[in-house]
Amino acid sequence: GSQIDEDKKCKNCNGKKVVKEKKVITCEVDKGAPHGEKYVFHGESDAHPDKEAGDVVLMVNELPHKTFKRKGADLLLEKEVTLLEALTGVDFVVDFLDGTKFRVQTEPGAVIKPDSLMTIPEKGLPFHKNPYKFGNLFVLFQVKFPESLGADQADQVAATLKGMKKKN
């Protein structure tokens, strides 16, 4: 080992050759960055006089979302609709991740089948490394069938179906 004379010792490190300090590293995550994407800051880790400073590696950890599921730049939204909505169409508003709102409507007269998929082009996430191109938003419809129909509900469905037949 080596010894340092008491009068030559640094007042900050007390002769240990290392000073602890905290450093804030700011990292801008790219739009559309996938789960597991790494950002490396070379030479920003602990340093020692006899060794080269290491790297700080930050890794993107994607958390599950309550509304959307992600597959690359595409988003999946599962939407439960009633039988009446499946027969007459849907019109609802989606709150996006960035706070904007988007209206989803089915075509007039279109019937939604159970587990059918609606594609809304370019309403997904931006592609990684290409933030001006967007993925798609897929809406997967789950039709909730009632256990039984009351007289009023049966009459409402019959009237709706008659109205649909007259339009076609």
Side-chain angles (χ1 to χ4, degrees):
S2 64
Q3 290 187 350
I4 300 173
D5 292 333
E6 287 295 324
D7 56 331
K8 292 183 180 178
K9 280 186 184 180
C10 170
K11 302 294 182 216
N12 292 335
C13 71
N14 200 21
K16 295 181 181 177
K17 300 181 184 178
V18 177
V19 177
K20 285 190 177 188
E21 69 178 11
K22 291 186 180 184
K23 185 175 185 180
V24 176
I25 297 176
T26 303
C27 178
E28 284 203 28
V29 178
D30 298 330
K31 289 182 179 184
H35 179 77
E37 178 75 10
K38 293 179 181 177
Y39 294 89
V40 180
F41 296 88
H42 299 285
E44 295 291 337
S45 184
D46 293 342
H48 193 274
D50 301 331
K51 297 178 183 171
E52 189 176 326
D55 298 338
V56 172
V57 179
L58 299 177
M59 192 157 72
V60 174
N61 185 16
E62 182 182 313
L63 299 175
H65 193 268
K66 63 179 182 172
T67 306
F68 300 103
K69 291 181 183 169
R70 179 182 181 184
K71 179 76 175 183
D74 295 328
L75 292 175
L76 174 70
L77 167 67
E78 293 185 25
K79 179 71 175 169
E80 187 175 273
V81 295
T82 64
L83 180 58
L84 184 60
E85 289 174 320
L87 295 172
T88 59
V90 294
D91 186 356
F92 61 94
V93 176
V94 176
D95 293 326
F96 274 139
L97 301 168
D98 63 359
T100 60
K101 296 183 183 294
F102 178 73
R103 185 175 181 187
V104 177
Q105 291 178 284
T106 52
E107 295 290 325
V111 175
I112 299 171
K113 296 171 184 64
D115 298 323
S116 64
L117 201 61
M118 173 190 270
T119 303
I120 303 169
E122 297 186 9
K123 285 296 179 183
L125 294 175
F127 281 93
H128 187 231
K129 308 273 186 194
N130 190 358
Y132 300 106
K133 187 176 178 194
F134 290 81
N136 298 323
L137 172 64
F138 296 100
V139 182
L140 177 63
F141 290 104
Q142 304 292 335
V143 180
K144 184 177 180 183
F145 288 90
E147 295 295 323
S148 62
L149 289 177
D152 292 345
Q153 291 173 319
D155 292 342
Q156 186 180 11
V157 170
T160 302
L161 291 174
K162 283 182 186 177
M164 289 173 66
K165 283 183 183 178
K166 288 181 182 179
K167 288 180 184 177
N168 292 336

